[in-house]
Amino acid sequence: MEILHTAAALQAYTENCRRAGLRLGLVPTMGALHEGHLQLVRAAAQACDVVIVSIFVNPTQFNNADDFRLYPRLPQADADLLAPAGCTVLFLPSVEEMYPHAAVLRFDFGALERVMEGAHRPGHFNGVATVVSKLFHLSRPHQAYFGQKDWQQVAIVRQMVMDLGFDLELVSFPTVREADGLAMSSRNRRLPAEARAAAPRLYAALQLAAEQLTRGASAAAAQAAAAAYIGQEPAFSLEYLEIADAHTLQPIHVWVPGQAVVVCLAAQVGGVRLIDNIVLLPEQQAVGAA
Ligand code: PAF
């Protein structure tokens, strides 16, 4: 596995690969890797000749200085995990390398970003879109891999790929969970023991909402039941729990048979902000439940 630190080195490397007719996969990450990331890397290694993994804790997508400062940074442990998973090139740039000057361009994803993470973390998706588009330009992948735990991020990146005509296929994979249901996240490392023990209740709340919806409850009733369940846990402070169309991300009020729905939440758990979601695809919904 090669480790590259500069944009020029990555560009030269990927240009050579393209000239040699190799198929390139990119897995953009912020490091502190877990099984969710490694599944993306393994999938990319199966589909592509060259797998580029970027590790960059992107300052422009954090709207909370402490969250950025405390984000786990474990480059050596990450590198040790990546080679056996099939990573060919690890791209580890500095902030100065990725942002030789402050970006002036601003992305606006309209309704897609006026909800959930976009509404609660102003500027977040501008930062994500800026860094992901830079990574796409530098690595020119045929495929780019993202995890569905960041459901809204996948929707935003898909929109960006479409609007800007990036010539690549976006591949997304379902959330990987711990045995007790907690969604794997780099931030889980920061959870104090008590908060870690309580954290699986977030997924249980999502399951409760999904179950209510499939039984024909209104979105408001399902949302209230899940929020009340979360409210029983003093370690949690719920930021939002929204039930939305899985593609447009706009809130739904009544369940429409055949509609793909996502239930998303963000909560502070023992001082750590976690997000999670559950997706209801049309075929999972009870026939006639409406
Ligand atoms: O999902 C993440 O880890 C980040 O948002 C990403 C896509 C690597 C951009 O910094």
Side-chain angles (χ1 to χ4, degrees):
M1 183 176 78
E2 285 208 39
I3 302 186
L4 305 177
H5 295 276
T6 66
L10 179 61
Q11 234 161 354
Y13 186 97
T14 56
E15 261 171 42
N16 278 337
C17 291
R18 282 247 171 193
R19 263 200 293 273
L22 299 175
R23 192 169 171 76
L24 300 171
L26 170 70
V27 185
T29 83
M30 297 205 299
L33 302 178
H34 50 69
E35 184 54 28
H37 296 113
L38 297 177
Q39 282 197 9
L40 301 179
V41 177
R42 285 189 213 108
Q46 286 215 326
C48 302
D49 304 304
V50 173
V51 178
I52 303 153
V53 177
S54 61
I55 295 183
F56 178 62
V57 185
N58 174 34
T60 66
Q61 70 187 74
F62 286 82
N63 61 332
N64 175 317
D66 280 343
D67 192 24
F68 175 64
R69 189 173 52 83
L70 297 172
Y71 200 88
R73 290 160 169 89
L74 305 159
Q76 189 53 59
D78 287 345
D80 293 345
L81 291 171
L82 283 172
C87 171
T88 329
V89 181
L90 170 56
F91 181 49
L92 264 179
S94 64
V95 172
E96 294 70 32
E97 190 66 27
M98 287 307 280
Y99 295 106
H101 60 84
V104 173
L105 175 68
R106 290 289 171 269
F107 290 83
D108 182 345
F109 293 94
L112 270 186
E113 71 162 291
R114 309 248 188 280
V115 293
M116 303 191 281
E117 290 302 280
H120 288 260
R121 301 180 70 189
H124 171 65
F125 286 121
N126 180 63
V128 169
T130 304
V131 81
V132 170
S133 53
K134 281 174 178 256
L135 291 168
F136 285 174
H137 283 304
L138 295 177
S139 51
R140 295 187 54 220
H142 295 86
Q143 290 188 321
Y145 288 74
F146 292 83
Q148 292 175 3
K149 185 170 75 64
D150 297 286
W151 187 265
Q152 190 175 10
Q153 171 171 278
V154 174
I156 294 267
V157 173
R158 180 171 293 117
Q159 188 71 48
M160 183 181 84
V161 166
M162 214 161 64
D163 287 0
L164 297 182
F166 280 106
D167 184 17
L168 58 84
E169 182 193 353
L170 196 68
V171 185
S172 77
F173 272 71
T175 302
V176 180
R177 299 185 179 280
E178 303 288 355
D180 59 11
L182 176 65
M184 289 195 186
S185 163
S186 305
R187 289 186 169 88
N188 291 352
R189 296 171 186 271
R190 292 183 43 219
L191 288 171
E194 212 175 307
R196 171 63 188 85
R201 284 179 78 92
L202 295 179
Y203 184 50
L206 292 172
Q207 286 176 306
L208 174 66
E211 192 188 296
Q212 296 238 339
L213 286 173
T214 55
R215 286 198 185 154
S218 68
Q223 197 172 20
Y229 180 78
I230 287 179
Q232 288 166 14
E233 179 49 65
F236 294 170
S237 164
L238 184 63
E239 268 187 32
Y240 66 79
L241 188 149
E242 293 192 18
I243 301 176
D245 179 280
H247 305 296
T248 66
L249 306 186
Q250 300 314 295
I252 62 157
H253 303 292
V254 286
W255 177 71
V256 178
Q259 186 178 23
V261 163
V262 65
V263 186
C264 296
L265 64 73
Q268 293 283 343
V269 179
V272 180
R273 187 176 187 279
L274 298 181
I275 61 170
D276 199 357
N277 68 71
I278 195 166
V279 188
L280 281 174
L281 299 171
E283 61 271 19
Q284 291 169 308
Q285 293 169 339
V287 177

